[in-house]
Each structure stands twice: as structure tokens, then as C-alpha cells.
Amino acid sequence: MKTVRLVLALLALTLIAPWQSAKAADVICYNCPPEWADWASMLKAIKADLKYDIPHDNKNSGQALAQILAEKSNPVGDIGYFGVTFGMKAKAQDALEPYKPAHWDQVPAGLKDPDGYWTTIHSGTLGLFVNKDALGGKPVPACWKDLLKPDYKGMVGYLDPSSAAVGYVGAVAVNLALSGSPTNFDPAISFFKELRKNDPIVPKQTSYARVVSGEMPILFDYDFNAYRAKYSEKGNFEFVIPCEGSVVFPYVVGLVKNAPDREKAKKVMDYLLSDKGQAIWTNAYLRPARPIELPASVKGKFLPDSDYARAKSVDWGEMENVQKAFVDRYLAEVR
């Protein structure tokens, strides 16, 4: 009988523990992973300056939105962090409520919802994050089409474009670079079909550590992750903006509708757009949302402006409208 009581007590603890953990946090931010965009440093700064505990959260944009929607009748999360297309989806599905953080007026019009449902906090340029030591002597690929060569079999990774924002951004980048358009994703579908022959690795979540370890020598990823590895990890890493071109992509935050800790969440969103918050993003090699000049010490670590000239801004509202059609084709024809 004692054994039965002990088992029941342990079971009760396991059921209560996650609830206690969530309640112990001051603010819940869905999709704030420590290895992505150096959220680890940002959350430490928020703890130091605002005294708020925000737990790490390793979702991707799609998973974050799915959880917010699943909890709609009894919200747990306070803030959602998304690739911009998922921010738009969150607004469309009534998952967010409007809030214009401090300095919102300094964010360019194309980088925020006009009613404040989502606001860009930083952006990145999509390219190739390469672990040169893991290439086995093969050259660093310079172009998207290089990845189709048998030399790179089993070496190329990209996040699942049917789930992760960066996965879809990679598909858009490839498509536009290879002469596609918002109404013609044939080039991207053909590319991913060909890439399948090279046994690509297709995770659903951020894979920074797998590139650093050498398990995944080449990953479709943003400049900020590649620079972080290049300047802070042991090994030889490089960021490549493919010769055919690429795209720039904004990342946004939104206030969850009926957030349980709404006022604290608003202060966190203010902090992300503050002078100090924006400077923290630049130290993580992200482009700030507000028109703040990159510190010289940071700018010198980026590729030359001539390389960045190949990375274009696109209408992500339009890209969001055609995303489902692409994902349907990808699932039917590629995966």
C-alpha cells in the first residue's frame, strides 16, 4: 500500500511540476530559444534590468502559433516571437492583441502591422552557414546550385519549410534567386527535388549546435548565427550569400490575446525595442529594426556591403499569401 501511495504522490508531482514551472516565470515567451538570435543574452539582460524571469523556449514559429491557438480559451503564453509571415498568420487567426511598444514610431512602416498586432525587432539575411572543418577538404559552396553536386551528399541541411519560418524563407530565397516569382514556385520545387538526391538533413527546429559540432556541415540559415559561430566557437565557420542572390527577413513579436501577464509582457516588448535592447541584437549580429547604425566593431565582422547587395527585401505579405500553396506542393512533391 505504501508503494501505491508513493507512486501516486510522484505522479501528482509530475503533473503539478510543469504548472509550477510556468507560474514561477514572470513572462512566457513562445519561441525564444537560447541558441537562436542569441535570445540567451537578451533574456539575461531582461532579468538584470527588469527583474523578470523568462524561460527558454525551443519552439519554432509554426509550433509557437499552434500552441497559442491551442491555448486560446485559457492562454499561458504572453509573447509570441515569429518569422514575419507567422506573425501575420497569428493576427489573421485572432491570436494576438494590438500593442505598440515604446519607439514603435521609429520602426519603418513595412516592418510593423499598422495597428500594432506585430512589430519587427530585428532582421537577418538568409544564406549558407558553413562549418569548413566538416567539409572534408571540399570547397565552401558559393552558389545555391553548388549544393546539388554529389560532393555535398549528406552535408546539406535546411529547416522544414512546412513548419519553420526559416525553412520557408530558404524556399523563397532559392525560388527568387533561380528566377521564380510569387506566382511560380517551380524553381524551388525543382531545386528541392534535386537536393533530395543528395540526402539532405531536414530538421524542424534550429540546428546551430549541429553545425558547430560538424554533424551538419552546411545549413540554410541567417548571417547572425553564422557570425556568432565564426567569432565565438572553436572551429572555422563561414557565411555565404549565394551567388544567385538571397533575401532579407524580419522577425517580429506580438502580444498574445488575453495574455495572463499582459503588463509585464508589454514592458518586455518595450525593452526589445529600446536603445539597449536593439544594441544587444547588434552584438548578436542582427540588424536592428530601428534605424540604428551598426557599431563599427560589429559592422567589421559582416561580409562586405557588396555581398549584401545580393540580398533583397521582398513583400512578405505577398509571400504569406502564397505560402500555403507552396507548402502544399512541397509536401506533395518533395517530402
Side-chain angles (χ1 to χ4, degrees):
M1 192 64 184
K2 287 182 179 178
T3 303
V4 172
R5 284 201 299 268
L6 178 60
V7 169
L8 290 174
L10 290 172
L11 179 60
L13 284 172
T14 61
L15 293 172
I16 292 169
W19 180 85
Q20 288 179 329
S21 174
K23 296 302 287 184
D26 293 293
V27 176
I28 300 292
C29 178
Y30 284 155
N31 185 25
C32 292
E35 290 186 347
W36 177 264
D38 199 17
W39 270 102
S41 293
M42 180 60 75
L43 298 184
K44 284 180 184 176
I46 290 170
K47 171 64 174 176
D49 294 339
L50 299 182
K51 313 304 180 189
Y52 293 165
D53 279 309
I54 303 178
H56 296 159
D57 185 83
N58 284 308
K59 296 178 183 63
N60 63 34
S61 295
Q63 291 166 337
L65 176 55
Q67 182 139 1
I68 292 169
L69 292 172
E71 296 168 350
K72 209 169 182 182
S73 62
N74 188 23
V76 175
D78 300 295
I79 295 170
Y81 167 71
F82 314 98
V84 64
T85 56
F86 280 91
M88 294 173 181
K89 290 179 189 296
K91 177 190 175 182
Q93 296 184 64
D94 196 30
L96 305 176
E97 61 183 66
Y99 177 64
K100 298 177 180 179
H103 304 297
W104 184 88
D105 58 319
Q106 295 178 26
V107 177
L111 298 180
K112 61 190 177 187
D113 176 76
D115 298 316
Y117 282 89
W118 52 263
T119 304
T120 296
I121 53 174
H122 56 233
S123 63
T125 295
L126 197 286
L128 304 177
F129 173 17
V130 182
N131 183 331
K132 294 168 70 175
D133 295 331
L135 291 178
K138 297 178 179 64
V140 173
C143 305
W144 293 115
K145 289 185 177 179
D146 287 344
L147 305 179
L148 305 178
K149 297 176 180 177
D151 284 356
Y152 300 107
K153 188 164 188 174
M155 290 187 170
V156 180
Y158 64 91
L159 268 67
D160 184 346
S162 69
S163 175
V166 64
Y168 180 56
V169 176
V172 170
V174 167
N175 192 59
L176 297 179
L178 301 182
S179 302
S181 72
T183 57
N184 175 22
F185 269 92
D186 289 347
I189 295 296
S190 296
F191 176 87
F192 286 115
K193 281 183 177 178
E194 285 297 307
L195 189 58
R196 275 198 70 182
K197 298 175 184 176
N198 256 2
D199 298 331
I201 305 163
V202 190
K204 289 186 177 294
Q205 294 168 321
T206 181
S207 297
Y208 176 88
R210 295 174 72 179
V211 180
V212 171
S213 71
E215 177 191 348
M216 191 184 298
I218 304 165
L219 177 67
F220 292 25
D221 205 350
Y222 292 110
D223 50 356
F224 52 84
N225 277 331
Y227 295 140
R228 175 186 166 202
K230 183 172 183 176
Y231 298 113
S232 65
E233 304 284 0
K234 292 181 180 178
N236 294 298
F237 303 95
E238 191 164 326
F239 178 66
V240 177
I241 299 176
C243 68
E244 303 97 336
S246 191
V247 297
V248 176
F249 189 70
Y251 274 80
V252 308
V253 290
L255 182 64
V256 174
K257 187 173 183 179
N258 299 319
D261 284 299
R262 180 187 287 104
E263 295 310 311
K264 290 180 180 177
K266 288 179 179 179
K267 290 180 181 178
V268 170
M269 293 172 67
D270 290 346
Y271 189 90
L272 299 178
L273 275 185
S274 69
D275 289 348
K276 185 169 183 179
Q278 292 283 281
I280 290 172
W281 295 132
T282 69
N283 289 334
Y285 311 107
L286 289 132
R287 302 279 177 165
R290 290 169 54 209
I292 295 173
E293 188 70 26
L294 286 174
S297 60
V298 173
K299 188 173 177 63
K301 294 180 178 180
F302 279 67
L303 289 176
D305 289 342
S306 56
D307 283 338
Y308 275 94
R310 297 197 295 276
K312 308 299 184 184
S313 296
V314 301
D315 182 343
W316 287 107
E318 184 177 30
M319 289 300 114
E320 196 275 335
N321 290 335
V322 298
Q323 184 173 6
K324 184 180 185 303
F326 165 76
V327 168
D328 289 346
R329 284 195 65 186
Y330 175 85
L331 292 174
E333 300 178 42
V334 179
R335 198 165 78 178

